[in-house]
Amino acid sequence: MGIYVNNQLKYVVNAASMDTWLTLAAGSYYTVVEEWDHCGGATTQAVNITVSSTPTSPSGVTVTSPAPNSTVTSPVAYRASATTTCSGGVASMGIYVNNQLEYVVDGSTLNTSLALAPGQYNTVVQDWDNCGGAGKTSVPITVASAPTSPGVVVTSPANNSTVSSPVTYTASATTSCAKGVASMGIYVNNVLKYVQNGSSLSTALTLAPGSYYTVVQDWDNCGGSLKTPINITVTSGSKTLSSVSVSPNPVSLSVGGSQQLTATAHYSDGSTTNVTTSATWSVANSSVATVNSSGVASGVAAGSTSITAAYSGASASTAVNVGVASGAGVSVTTWHFDNNRSGLNPNETSLTPTTVNAKSFGKLFSYLVDGYVYGEPLLVSNLSINGGTHNVVYVATENDSVYAFDADSYGSGAPLWKTGLLRSGETPVTTAPIKPVQGVTSTPVIDRSTNTIYVVSEQTSSSGATFRLNALDITTGAQKFGGPVTLQASVPGTNGGSNGVVSLNTSCMQRAALLLANGNVYIGFGGCATGWLLAYNAQTLAQVGVFNASPNLAGTGTYASAGGIWMGSAGPVADSAGNIYVVTGNGPWDGKTAWSDSVLKFSPSLQLEDSFTPQDYGFLGCDDEDLAAGGLMMIPGSGKVVTGGKSGKLYLLNTGSLGKEQANDAGAAQTLWYESDLSAPYPASCTNAYGTYSTDISSYEIFGTAAYYNGYAYLGITPTTSTTTAGIRQFAYNGALTPGAYTSPNVQMNTRGTTPFISSNGSSGGVLWMIDTGLPLQSSGGGPTAATLRAYDADAFPNALYNSSTNSADVPGYGIKFTSPVVANGKVYISTGHDAVTTTNPRGEIDVYGLK
């Protein structure tokens, strides 16, 4: 349970009841008492109070042993007494260890010993009087030796052992309590399964095969309790696991192709079990192939790697060879090419540093569409459609239309098909941030295994605005799987809700690109009272996961949001095990239910697993310095993600342990500035209703996502001053990032950054592509101006190869914020605006570049 004072968490206790006092200056306060359960739920009760004067302490606790900040041995002797101004005297005293109440005794004196393992502890001795008051004294200690007595000794099963079912538990307990041990019990995965009176325990539990976290605990007659954790793996019956195998072995895949793998467990009695969905799957090099949690392997790029299945302590691998199929082309089915968001197409043979120049390369044609395209074009190669085989480029517009065009031949300019997502009486939204209409804003995602493109649309009618998830056949544009479905989500909370419920509404913007992973479509929302991440089954369109970034605490200031997920148009990241990663924007943070300005890791069903929050999160939220201004990129094969936001600082994080919130960002693998050698960071401060915050920021902002090639990450920025060096910078990666060369000329202020894309032929022939949006549509600096497509030699960075402003025939349409090129099969595709916002029914434009 915990207490918030004006949205700041001031007190936490690990218990189902709470009795404490807080010292507050005179004034009016909005306080909230909140509880968090073991299932991820939370409830609150608001208590508005006015403090008339600064209180004096109602009672006092004197601790004579142990001394604060001392080093002691275990068991630790506690001696204390309490006094109170209450006429009824002191009722009881107790000891908290790391916020867990471990001991309680009636009366005004305390004399006991606690068994504590070696380590550092924040202990608190507290009293409660008969007038409702309480006093406490903090006693930090360091325990130097393991406890001797009392304690819980488990003789069976052994910790970290593999056993058969039923599992025999044998244990005993001792206590310093004069009244002895009352009872003992066994928890299995945090659920109490067995209780026995007395100081010894002997029983057998029937458990299904699997891994378990079990705890043997005792309770004494003085209110004390001790416990011993026992991790076990249970096999079926008396047989033991001998080995695991993976088939087929080896595996041959084409780029864009997939193969179902099978994991089989082999037991000592000769039996076998299919454990494909129970195994943990991983890939050695995710830039060559990926594998999901169900064992489906997919080819990403030409090369060789291995895929491993691990189950119950055993593992096996299969060799994987990926090649480009004869006559096949490359497909780009998701934002920034893959679920790592690496931005690398390693199978491009036509566009090289030799062929990309103003003489031989340029704009071939442009398709016009009925609205702006804020998302990235997607591409499917060698698709049978309309009686022929085509490479097909797909785009979705703010006018709620989806187009399929021939990716290589303009023809008459007519689409292969066009689908309108509006129903009778509906229009796109006209009162949203994107003008003149807002319909489809995010980048869709394509599932090649079912030939489906998933698109989130926003529309309005006389009954109000809605979000819908559309599932369209990529060969016809027809709705599939009973779609579309209206996106709805609700969680208990008080942040902008009613009757204790917070619900998704269309004041949010669905800007983040969609993610297809684990058989689900993941959808992020931001720009409203609180951020959301939803998961829908890709074939039933049923909702399978909901996460809200701050159900109880509201943001403050001009942009009063709380944990929006928009990521500069990037999409959530998925690793080879199916874990999902996002970055959140401004708002409150408490590390429990409020998760603003953080990197978050989720299970496939959106259970929060881990987090990283910069130590200056308070300043970020105060000064509108969203961490989610930029996207996430997972460095292929490394287990690390890199991100950065408006403050200009980069964070390299280990996905196995993101690092939480720590002083000096100690949990991060690395923090660094984009260009501290060129434009040094400087101190800044900000004051809001919660206080004054100070930190360092820089003269540039990160609104893009990095791309990766041949041991280097490439990241673009936008400057906040006209003299700041800004463009794309190369960072060498060898476990850490080292800043290197950077491009010239600089990008302009107010461009909202750039996200690069890289094409290569394996590890050579690398070309880095970027869109300089100039002053894009709806720019705060004026405009709009035409975008510029630029290309650089990635093998001799930053040598410039091409820019579209050299030849007038190559100039594309108006720039659109946060856009990135798509490169495949000898072509480059970019989305721009054909008409200015002031034009009636302005059109969008898809510009296609290639060899002349």
Side-chain angles (χ1 to χ4, degrees), residues 83-324:
T83 59
T84 179
T85 57
C86 169
S87 59
V90 173
S92 58
M93 298 184 69
I95 305 172
Y96 289 88
V97 179
N98 291 346
N99 290 326
Q100 177 71 48
L101 185 61
E102 296 289 353
Y103 178 79
V104 175
V105 63
D106 292 338
S108 61
T109 61
L110 180 150
N111 186 340
T112 191
S113 296
L114 296 184
L116 300 175
Q120 294 182 332
Y121 296 89
N122 175 30
T123 71
V124 173
V125 180
Q126 184 163 341
D127 84 297
W128 299 271
D129 63 30
N130 289 297
C131 300
K136 57 186 176 183
T137 296
S138 178
V139 188
I141 59 171
T142 299
V143 177
S145 63
T148 53
S149 179
V152 174
V153 177
V154 180
T155 55
S156 174
N159 190 30
N160 296 317
S161 62
T162 299
V163 296
S164 59
S165 185
V167 182
T168 299
Y169 279 83
T170 305
S172 60
T174 57
T175 178
S176 59
C177 169
K179 299 178 182 179
V181 174
S183 58
M184 298 184 69
I186 305 171
Y187 289 86
V188 179
N189 290 347
N190 293 321
V191 177
L192 186 61
K193 292 293 188 180
Y194 179 79
V195 175
Q196 179 175 317
N197 292 331
S199 61
S200 62
L201 178 151
S202 180
T203 191
L205 298 182
T206 300
L207 301 175
S211 297
Y212 295 90
Y213 171 70
T214 72
V215 172
V216 181
Q217 185 162 348
D218 83 313
W219 299 271
D220 64 30
N221 289 298
C222 298
S225 179
L226 293 170
K227 57 189 175 184
T228 297
I230 302 292
N231 293 291
I232 60 172
T233 300
V234 178
T235 61
S236 56
S238 60
K239 62 186 179 182
T240 59
L241 180 68
S242 300
S243 63
V244 172
S245 63
V246 179
S247 61
N249 188 2
V251 177
S252 294
L253 293 171
S254 60
V255 174
S258 61
Q259 169 73 54
Q260 175 67 61
L261 305 182
T262 300
T264 303
H266 302 264
Y267 294 97
S268 57
D269 63 355
S271 63
T272 60
T273 302
N274 186 324
V275 294
T276 301
T277 57
S278 302
T280 299
W281 294 90
S282 61
V283 62
N285 187 349
S286 58
S287 65
V288 173
T290 61
V291 63
N292 67 16
S293 59
S294 300
V296 177
S298 300
V300 174
S304 298
T305 186
S306 61
I307 289 177
T308 300
Y311 175 76
S312 195
S315 63
S317 300
T318 180
V320 179
N321 300 302
V322 180
V324 178

Side-chain angles (χ1 to χ4, degrees), residues 48-104:
N48 293 296
I49 60 173
T50 299
V51 177
S52 59
S53 62
T54 303
T56 56
S57 176
S59 59
V61 174
T62 301
V63 179
T64 58
S65 174
N69 301 307
S70 61
T71 299
V72 296
T73 58
S74 183
V76 182
Y78 280 83
R79 309 287 185 268
S81 60
T83 59
T84 179
T85 57
C86 169
S87 59
V90 173
S92 58
M93 298 184 69
I95 305 172
Y96 289 88
V97 179
N98 291 346
N99 290 326
Q100 177 71 48
L101 185 61
E102 296 289 353
Y103 178 79
V104 175

Side-chain angles (χ1 to χ4, degrees), residues 286-365:
S286 58
S287 65
V288 173
T290 61
V291 63
N292 67 16
S293 59
S294 300
V296 177
S298 300
V300 174
S304 298
T305 186
S306 61
I307 289 177
T308 300
Y311 175 76
S312 195
S315 63
S317 300
T318 180
V320 179
N321 300 302
V322 180
V324 178
S326 176
V330 173
S331 295
V332 182
T333 58
T334 192
W335 187 90
H336 229 212
F337 198 77
D338 53 34
N339 285 355
N340 284 343
R341 311 305 189 183
S342 70
L344 171 65
N345 171 13
N347 296 289
E348 177 55 51
T349 58
S350 298
L351 301 179
T352 69
T354 302
T355 61
V356 176
N357 54 67
K359 182 178 180 180
S360 60
F361 176 88
K363 188 166 76 168
L364 303 179
F365 54 87

Side-chain angles (χ1 to χ4, degrees), residues 717-777:
I717 56 167
T718 188
T720 57
T721 69
S722 59
T723 59
T724 302
T725 301
I728 302 285
R729 191 161 202 184
Q730 182 187 65
F731 293 80
Y733 176 74
N734 187 16
L737 295 170
T738 303
Y742 50 90
T743 60
S744 179
N746 299 336
V747 298
Q748 301 177 61
M749 294 174 59
N750 302 305
T751 60
R752 296 300 181 262
T754 183
T755 292
F757 191 99
I758 301 172
S759 61
S760 71
N761 185 10
S763 60
S764 63
V767 178
L768 182 144
W769 306 86
M770 64 164 279
I771 302 173
D772 183 345
T773 60
L775 295 177
L777 295 168

Side-chain angles (χ1 to χ4, degrees), residues 1 65 162 264 304 350 401 408 446 457 461 470 590 737-738 791 819:
M1 300 183 69
S65 174
T162 299
T264 303
S304 298
S350 298
S401 297
D408 303 309
I446 294 174
S457 61
S461 66
N470 303 269
D590 64 11
L737 295 170
T738 303
T819 49

